[in-house]
């Protein structure tokens, strides 16, 4: 029985992190080869509101406004809205220099979800785009996103996240992760629909935006998955991207990961309808494979593999001894990578073991935070690197 459990656990771990990627890569390729997409009009230019939630971001507000103004889209059809609820810096003074920008502000800090709920009440355009204040958008971003709304089946469009390369372990690890994650997102989108939008740059049909609960952590994910549950598609558009600096440190990246995992558990508890294969079988398969396993079952099985492998190596020898040695080597490399990174050195070959281990440790810590209900509802601002080069990972 222990032998069966070991190989079953190993198969689930392999499927979650490698097998699913191989499966959807082939699947998406076959879908693209066999599907003739109706060409979309390049002259489609509907009215759009670009919303930027910003909490105490006065030092970068001017740069963000200029970036928004440089977007390749008719100025009479693109409305800019900044919402700074709860900010205690001089954000209002900075934005006052741009009368063309609609500025919303109340003294109370209710969190990003409540800020977005409040912003949507002031939007009259058929489409809305949300983007983080600490990101820069490529000029084609708005045009590339809204063109998909010519298809009435599309309810939301997600852009791509580019992590700016600062050469640190946190930057390199986050960038490597997002390269793989972006590939999975493209494949999910090509097969049927994206399984969760990226909050750095995401667009919705305004009429489909439902007010979120005030304590929602992953607002972009829950909002987009509820739209998928309503029968619409969420499209992934890599030609629209948001460039963001990496976490300020490895410890800050871990804090961010824990928050995301806590949000993942919260999302799973509120999106239970997506787990019913009789309702939307393809959505359930993609959602469980891409999201649920990573946040729930797989980290547990991964943790059990080490002691189980040690017992089998002691009793059975052979292949189990080799696999145990590989596991130990992997985690030793992860520990060395952490030591090097926290001392300001590059993790080198230990980067992949390090980031992989961090992700799974964060899953346990995130579950604990979710169970304690200790995640603050208000913006939990991640500390990002300040000075970053212009190259991306």
């Amino acid at each position: 029985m222990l032998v069966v459990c070991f190989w079953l656990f190993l198969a689930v771990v392999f499927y979650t992190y490698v097998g699913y990627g191989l499966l959807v890569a082939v699947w998406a390729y076959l879908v693209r080869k066999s599907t003739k997409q109706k060409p979309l009009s390049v002259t489609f230019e509907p009215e759009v509101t670009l919303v930027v939630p910003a909490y105490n971001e006065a030092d970068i507000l001017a740069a963000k406004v200029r970036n928004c103004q440089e977007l390749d889209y008719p100025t009479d059809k693109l409305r800019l809205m900044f919402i700074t609820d709860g900010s205690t810096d001089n954000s209002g003074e900075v934005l006052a220099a741009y009368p063309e920008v609609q500025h919303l502000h109340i003294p109370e800090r209710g969190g990003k979800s409540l800020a977005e709920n409040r912003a949507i009440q002031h939007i009259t355009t058929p489409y809305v785009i949300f983007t983080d204040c600490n990101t820069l958008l490529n000029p084609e971003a708005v045009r590339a996103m809204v063109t998909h709304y010519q298809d009435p089946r599309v309810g939301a469009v997600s852009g791509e996240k580019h992590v700016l390369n600062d050469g640190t372990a946190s930057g390199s690890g986050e960038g490597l992760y997002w390269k793989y994650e972006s590939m999975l997102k493209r494949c999910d989108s090509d097969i049927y629909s994206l399984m969760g939008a990226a909050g750095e740059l995401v667009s919705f049909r305004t009429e489909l935006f439902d007010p979120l609960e005030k304590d929602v952590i992953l607002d972009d994910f829950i909002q987009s998955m509820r739209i998928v549950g309503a029968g619409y598609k969420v499209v992934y558009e890599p030609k629209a991207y948001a460039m963001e600096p990496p976490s300020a440190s490895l410890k800050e990246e871990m804090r961010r990961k824990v928050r995301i995992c806590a949000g993942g558990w919260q999302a799973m508890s509120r999106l239970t309808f997506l787990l019913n294969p009789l309702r939307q079988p393809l959505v359930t398969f993609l959602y469980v494979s891409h999201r649920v396993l990573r946040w729930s079952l797989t980290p547990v099985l991964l943790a059990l593999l080490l002691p189980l492998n040690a017992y089998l190596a002691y009793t059975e020898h052979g292949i189990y001894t080799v696999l145990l040695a590989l596991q130990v080597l992997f985690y030793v490399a992860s520990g060395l990578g952490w030591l090097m990174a926290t001392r300001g050195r590059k993790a080198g070959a230990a980067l992949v073991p390090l980031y992989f281990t961090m992700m799974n440790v964060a899953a346990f810590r995130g579950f604990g935070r979710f169970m304690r209900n200790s995640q603050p509802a208000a913006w939990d601002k991640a500390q990002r690197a300040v000075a970053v080069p212009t190259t991306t990972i």
Side-chain angles (χ1 to χ4, degrees):
M1 180 61 68
L2 292 178
V3 170
V4 172
C5 288
F6 175 80
W7 290 106
L8 178 61
F9 293 178
L10 187 61
V12 173
V13 171
F14 178 83
Y15 172 76
T16 301
Y17 296 112
V18 180
Y20 178 70
L22 296 174
L23 173 64
V24 293
V26 174
W27 191 350
Y29 171 77
L30 295 176
V31 169
R32 288 191 293 266
K33 291 280 288 184
S34 61
T35 305
K36 291 184 178 180
Q37 294 186 346
K38 182 180 178 180
L40 300 175
S41 173
V42 295
T43 60
F44 183 69
E45 295 177 341
E47 291 188 333
V48 185
T49 300
L50 181 65
V51 179
V52 182
Y55 173 70
N56 284 345
E57 301 279 19
D59 56 336
I60 59 174
L61 277 178
K64 182 64 177 182
V65 172
R66 289 194 296 270
N67 175 243
C68 294
Q69 292 174 332
E70 292 168 357
L71 294 169
D72 178 25
Y73 206 76
T75 55
D76 61 326
K77 294 185 177 181
L78 179 62
R79 303 176 187 178
L80 302 182
M81 179 186 294
F82 281 65
I83 181 164
T84 60
D85 289 357
S87 293
T88 55
D89 59 7
N90 63 325
S91 294
E93 296 175 17
V94 175
L95 292 174
Y98 303 94
E100 67 275 23
V101 173
Q102 184 177 2
H103 178 206
L104 303 180
H105 178 81
I106 56 175
E108 294 77 18
R109 184 188 179 196
K112 187 177 180 182
S113 295
L114 288 188
E116 292 179 349
N117 291 348
R118 204 167 75 81
I120 210 74
Q121 298 174 7
H122 297 268
I123 293 173
T124 58
T125 59
Y127 310 105
V128 57
I129 298 176
F130 290 97
T131 179
D132 288 346
C133 190
N134 66 337
T135 65
L136 295 178
L137 308 183
N138 64 308
E140 301 78 20
V142 173
R143 190 178 299 277
M145 296 180 82
V146 300
T147 188
H148 291 284
Y149 289 119
Q150 296 174 72
D151 184 346
R153 298 171 299 175
V154 174
V157 182
S158 175
E160 186 166 280
K161 175 180 176 177
H162 288 187
V163 180
L164 294 165
N165 184 5
D166 63 354
T168 63
S170 59
S172 299
E174 189 179 355
L176 187 63
Y177 166 80
W178 273 102
K179 273 193 170 182
Y180 181 63
E181 181 65 17
S182 296
M183 185 277 290
L184 295 181
K185 287 175 178 286
R186 290 192 195 102
C187 292
D188 288 348
S189 179
D190 288 340
I191 293 170
Y192 175 70
S193 173
L194 180 66
M195 294 295 108
E200 290 78 13
L201 180 59
V202 59
S203 170
F204 302 102
R205 289 186 186 272
T206 306
E207 63 182 354
L208 297 181
F209 188 98
D210 285 331
L212 293 165
E213 301 88 340
K214 66 178 182 179
D215 64 337
V216 164
I217 301 170
L218 303 182
D219 52 285
D220 48 312
F221 180 82
I222 289 184
Q223 187 70 251
S224 58
M225 290 307 296
R226 284 175 174 168
I227 287 175
V228 172
Y232 292 88
K233 296 182 179 182
V234 178
V235 174
Y236 190 64
E237 179 48 79
K239 293 180 182 177
Y241 54 86
M243 296 171 283
E244 182 178 54
S247 297
S249 66
L250 204 60
K251 292 182 179 180
E252 189 64 27
E253 175 65 6
M254 172 60 89
R255 190 174 77 92
R256 191 182 71 87
K257 284 290 184 188
V258 171
R259 175 183 176 276
I260 290 174
C261 290
W265 278 98
Q266 183 192 68
M268 288 187 292
S269 71
R270 298 181 182 183
L271 298 172
T272 53
F273 58 90
L274 295 176
L275 298 176
N276 179 8
L278 300 179
R279 191 172 180 272
Q280 291 176 296
L282 181 54
V283 170
T284 299
F285 173 76
L286 295 174
Y287 173 58
V288 171
S289 297
H290 191 166
R291 299 297 186 180
V292 175
L293 288 177
R294 278 195 205 178
W295 285 330
S296 57
L297 179 62
T298 301
V300 176
L301 299 185
L302 185 65
L304 292 174
L305 273 176
L306 188 59
L308 185 55
N309 195 170
Y311 178 80
L312 291 175
Y314 176 74
T315 58
E316 303 290 336
H317 308 295
I319 185 64
Y320 299 105
T321 303
V322 176
L323 292 175
L324 177 61
L326 291 175
Q327 280 204 73
V328 171
L329 180 63
F330 184 89
Y331 291 118
V332 168
S334 175
L336 290 175
W338 177 269
L339 287 175
M340 290 188 292
T342 52
R343 294 178 181 179
R345 298 169 58 187
K346 291 186 177 181
L351 179 64
V352 172
L354 168 60
Y355 206 78
F356 180 84
T357 304
M358 282 178 57
M359 286 172 53
N360 286 281
V361 170
F364 284 98
R365 292 179 59 184
F367 175 70
R369 178 175 288 190
F370 168 70
M371 292 300 293
R372 295 191 304 270
N373 195 27
S374 59
Q375 177 66 40
W379 275 304
D380 186 15
K381 284 184 62 176
Q383 298 299 315
R384 292 284 179 177
V386 178
V388 292
T390 56
T391 57
T392 59
I393 298 178

